[in-house]
Amino acid sequence: MCGIIGVVQKRGDVAPFLHQALKRLEYRGYDSVGVTTISEGKLYMKKEKGKIEEVHRKLNLDDMPGSIGIGHTRWATHGIPSMLNSHPHFDCNNEISVVHNGVIDNFLELRTELRALGHKLKSETDTEVIPHLIEDYMKDGMDLLQAVKETTKRIEGTYAIVVMSTKENPNRIVCTRDGNPLVIGRKENVSYVSSDIPAFLPMTNDMILLLDGEIASLSTDEVRIEKLSDESEVKRESIKISWTADQAQKSGYPHFMLKEIHEQPEAIRNTLRLRDDVIKEAANIIHSSERVFMLAMGTSGHAAQAGQHMFASIAGVLPIVELASDFSDTVYGTLTEKDCIIAITQSGETTDTISAVKYAKEFGVKIVAITNVVGSSITRYADYTVLTQAGPEIGVAATKTFMVQLTSLALLALKIGELTKFVKPSIIKAKREFLERMPDIVSETISRNEELARRLAGQMYDKPSLLFLGRGISIATAEEGALKLKEIAYNHAEAYSAGESKHGPIALVQEGYPVIFVAPHDETRSRMIGNIMEMKARGGYTISVILKDDKELTGLSDYVFTIPNQVEAEFSTMAFIVPLQLFSYYMALRKGFDPDKPRNLAKSVTVL
Ligand code: F6R
């Protein structure tokens, strides 16, 4: 939530780069945007509410002098989206400029204190106390680095902060973090800092991690990192990121979401190439634990639900799936060091998931993380990390990262199955071989359903409400389908177990009410037929996602999406979700919404 960028270079104006970098970070928040640069000791600022391109058309974000600058794209927490609440924020003399991602919990008392000292604070934000605190420390004679260090002793909460000041010569940027991400990029004569790698990916893929409790000073020549606790220097090598700049471009697609749906076969293929010992190590931790929890939020939570079925049917292990946000309120301190958590988070930064993991670690619980982002916060709390290989996902609605979460859970289930011997080795072998075919199945599923999804969206876009039904593992698929539709097309969509549907939701169904069935050819199919009949009998408009040759269900449904091949039951979500992703995408488009930037949402949710 909120995207931050900072750059300091030897020569040339940084403003056009900041503008482009912010566009690459826009998925983190897009209700307002702002940039400051420094040239010849003078600070230049442009900020306004609105999406980046709207603001750019109004203010021309490229036209600012200076070879050092910082920028911010906001997802509002404290204060409505407005010019005054937009970042950067400043001290009384407009000499210190700050961008922040996170929440300062004690900002009210700090604001009262600063106002009593005569500071003029203009916004409703929590962030604005930071430049004013720094101002006071600099007035006492400290340089920027020292003043930021002192400021971190005063603020409570979570933060990633990037700061610059006209008083620093030569130019430098100071940044620090506690609980929110910051990564540093380096190339000759230029240093970058950002909330996420894609921001500077076209310039460099040499990345240096900054960890919680560390502070960095960035100049054109070097990056120096210190620990805040004892000011000792941290020597950290840079990491080469395998992501490419192209992966973070739309590459001819109208939206990132569509591009990322189409990238799913490749993402599965790359994740299937994960080294066997990586999966084995994680599987050993899980296998040697007494209880296994799967914790996640949103789409990752649906991967966990599907993963539960994979683990149970392939490995004979039934994980307890919980929302990370409610975990500590559910387990009531029953955790022990014999338990293990599989924490699933594509961004690796979701505060709900990280808080649950931190809570569990107090009881000695072992943590296996599944994440898509190298060096993300979750990797530091995990005993072991499985790094999925989707490449950068920019669309706010998760698609390909969901697919690779499912892929890695499938790999884990198979590996644990080898240890538990719950099913015969020949079955494990056959399922593993089948998994290798999933990229082709997903690819064909995309091509055979894309036009159908667009057409169905043309019929359904004005339906106020849709019901998604599944059984067994397909409840996870139905839930993910409903979530996608809600988040990008804003139709009310509800997912239910088809079994449960007649215990209440069926009351909603009347002539023309759309009911979407996820009905793979597995042991639930005959019961799904009964549910389809029930809904048809009440006038429901039935849309089914089924196997291509399922003539019976084709005959029973008003509209069908089809999957080209029979899919192993445990992996069905990987294929059956695809038409529903496409349907949501085309629904959003038909309604004139930007599927990449759904209202009120951000890709990485770093508030509780
Ligand atoms: C939905 C979506 C969100 C995320 C959720 C968890 O399309 O993207 O529901 O799945 O915010 O995010 P991660 O996986 O980063 O923990």
Side-chain angles (χ1 to χ4, degrees), residues 162-435:
V162 176
V163 190
M164 60 178 194
S165 159
T166 56
K167 295 282 172 218
E168 291 285 301
N169 194 7
N171 284 333
R172 68 169 157 166
I173 284 174
V174 172
C175 54
T176 182
R177 58 166 284 178
D178 194 0
N180 287 103
L182 275 185
V183 286
I184 294 169
R186 252 316 275 170
K187 73 172 198 183
E188 208 185 345
N189 295 334
V190 194
S191 298
Y192 305 92
V193 59
S194 174
S195 308
D196 202 357
I197 303 158
F200 53 69
L201 204 51
M203 304 300 176
T204 180
N205 44 15
D206 274 334
M207 183 190 98
I208 305 169
L209 292 175
L210 187 72
L211 306 188
D212 282 350
E214 294 178 348
I215 188 163
S217 168
L218 276 59
S219 67
T220 55
D221 298 327
E222 63 159 4
V223 169
R224 188 190 147 87
I225 302 177
E226 286 178 26
K227 275 192 189 156
L228 279 167
S229 54
D230 58 5
E231 304 199 345
S232 59
E233 186 175 354
V234 177
K235 290 275 180 212
R236 185 165 298 130
E237 292 299 310
S238 63
I239 307 172
K240 270 245 177 295
I241 300 295
S242 60
W243 294 0
T244 65
D246 277 356
Q247 287 176 309
Q249 309 288 336
K250 284 190 199 148
S251 312
Y253 285 92
H255 296 98
F256 280 110
M257 182 178 176
L258 189 62
K259 174 177 177 248
E260 287 157 2
I261 290 173
H262 279 264
E263 283 173 344
Q264 294 185 112
E266 194 53 28
I268 302 172
R269 233 171 251 126
N270 289 338
T271 302
L272 288 176
R273 285 190 203 116
L274 280 175
R275 285 205 329 267
D276 194 54
D277 54 322
V278 170
I279 300 297
K280 204 165 173 179
E281 185 94 10
N284 281 336
I285 297 175
I286 298 163
H287 179 235
S288 61
S289 301
E290 251 172 32
R291 285 192 301 179
V292 180
F293 294 93
M294 285 183 175
L295 303 187
M297 300 303 294
T299 291
S300 300
H302 301 147
Q305 281 172 245
Q308 182 191 47
H309 286 268
M310 296 178 194
F311 275 46
S313 82
I314 300 174
V317 172
L318 184 68
I320 303 166
V321 176
E322 288 287 348
L323 283 177
S325 55
D326 296 293
F327 184 59
S328 63
D329 301 319
T330 306
V331 288
Y332 296 108
T334 62
L335 299 172
T336 76
E337 67 281 357
K338 292 182 184 144
D339 295 329
C340 144
I341 284 176
I342 305 174
I344 309 169
T345 162
Q346 70 79 20
S347 64
E349 301 293 346
T350 297
T351 304
D352 287 313
T353 310
I354 289 177
S355 302
V357 161
K358 278 188 187 163
Y359 169 81
K361 278 181 83 78
E362 286 171 25
F363 297 85
V365 175
K366 287 177 284 313
I367 313 292
V368 173
I370 298 180
T371 185
N372 195 49
V373 181
V374 64
S376 56
S377 298
I378 195 80
T379 62
R380 287 193 291 285
Y381 297 106
D383 296 288
Y384 200 75
T385 297
V386 175
L387 195 63
T388 56
Q389 301 294 315
E393 186 176 71
I394 312 288
V396 166
T399 52
K400 64 173 177 171
T401 54
F402 178 59
M403 200 57 87
V404 294
Q405 288 169 345
L406 295 170
T407 311
S408 52
L409 286 164
L411 289 172
L412 280 173
L414 292 165
K415 192 53 78 186
I416 300 166
E418 283 175 17
L419 300 168
T420 58
K421 302 196 171 26
F422 183 69
V423 295
K424 289 198 193 98
S426 57
I427 294 180
I428 302 265
K429 185 166 174 283
K431 287 190 191 293
R432 180 66 179 84
E433 281 166 10
F434 186 84
L435 209 47

Side-chain angles (χ1 to χ4, degrees), residues 12-291:
D13 291 343
V14 289
F17 166 77
L18 289 175
H19 170 197
Q20 294 308 317
L22 285 170
K23 276 169 65 177
R24 291 187 284 275
L25 289 172
E26 203 175 11
Y27 66 87
R28 301 181 67 86
Y30 29 83
D31 58 46
S32 37
V33 60
V35 173
T36 49
T37 57
I38 296 175
S39 175
E40 297 178 356
K42 192 166 171 267
L43 195 137
Y44 295 81
M45 176 276 279
K46 290 185 180 177
K47 62 178 189 172
E48 188 49 280
K49 82 167 194 194
K51 291 189 178 153
I52 295 171
E53 280 318 278
E54 289 161 21
V55 175
H56 175 58
R57 275 195 294 278
K58 205 163 141 189
L59 302 178
N60 191 0
L61 296 174
D62 293 342
D63 184 22
M64 296 172 77
S67 54
I68 177 169
I70 61 177
H72 187 270
T73 179
R74 180 169 186 247
W75 188 90
T77 56
H78 293 58
I80 56 162
S82 69
M83 197 282 275
L84 280 182
N85 289 335
S86 311
H87 298 220
H89 290 283
F90 307 96
D91 63 314
C92 292
N93 305 313
N94 285 344
E95 290 170 350
I96 300 157
S97 175
V98 173
V99 289
H100 164 223
N101 165 209
V103 174
I104 306 301
D105 294 334
N106 60 337
F107 84 103
L108 280 176
E109 59 197 76
L110 289 171
R111 192 156 72 179
T112 308
E113 178 188 319
L114 286 161
R115 282 193 170 137
L117 290 169
H119 287 267
K120 301 269 176 283
L121 283 86
K122 300 177 188 134
S123 77
E124 301 160 275
T125 66
D126 52 340
T127 305
E128 202 183 0
V129 297
I130 299 170
H132 289 271
L133 287 168
I134 297 172
E135 177 189 352
D136 272 357
Y137 289 118
M138 289 185 83
K139 245 187 239 154
D140 291 345
M142 292 181 198
D143 67 2
L144 182 66
L145 181 66
Q146 203 54 41
V148 176
K149 284 183 193 168
E150 289 305 313
T151 299
T152 60
K153 295 180 189 158
R154 304 290 316 283
I155 54 179
E156 290 162 17
T158 59
Y159 50 82
I161 302 168
V162 176
V163 190
M164 60 178 194
S165 159
T166 56
K167 295 282 172 218
E168 291 285 301
N169 194 7
N171 284 333
R172 68 169 157 166
I173 284 174
V174 172
C175 54
T176 182
R177 58 166 284 178
D178 194 0
N180 287 103
L182 275 185
V183 286
I184 294 169
R186 252 316 275 170
K187 73 172 198 183
E188 208 185 345
N189 295 334
V190 194
S191 298
Y192 305 92
V193 59
S194 174
S195 308
D196 202 357
I197 303 158
F200 53 69
L201 204 51
M203 304 300 176
T204 180
N205 44 15
D206 274 334
M207 183 190 98
I208 305 169
L209 292 175
L210 187 72
L211 306 188
D212 282 350
E214 294 178 348
I215 188 163
S217 168
L218 276 59
S219 67
T220 55
D221 298 327
E222 63 159 4
V223 169
R224 188 190 147 87
I225 302 177
E226 286 178 26
K227 275 192 189 156
L228 279 167
S229 54
D230 58 5
E231 304 199 345
S232 59
E233 186 175 354
V234 177
K235 290 275 180 212
R236 185 165 298 130
E237 292 299 310
S238 63
I239 307 172
K240 270 245 177 295
I241 300 295
S242 60
W243 294 0
T244 65
D246 277 356
Q247 287 176 309
Q249 309 288 336
K250 284 190 199 148
S251 312
Y253 285 92
H255 296 98
F256 280 110
M257 182 178 176
L258 189 62
K259 174 177 177 248
E260 287 157 2
I261 290 173
H262 279 264
E263 283 173 344
Q264 294 185 112
E266 194 53 28
I268 302 172
R269 233 171 251 126
N270 289 338
T271 302
L272 288 176
R273 285 190 203 116
L274 280 175
R275 285 205 329 267
D276 194 54
D277 54 322
V278 170
I279 300 297
K280 204 165 173 179
E281 185 94 10
N284 281 336
I285 297 175
I286 298 163
H287 179 235
S288 61
S289 301
E290 251 172 32
R291 285 192 301 179

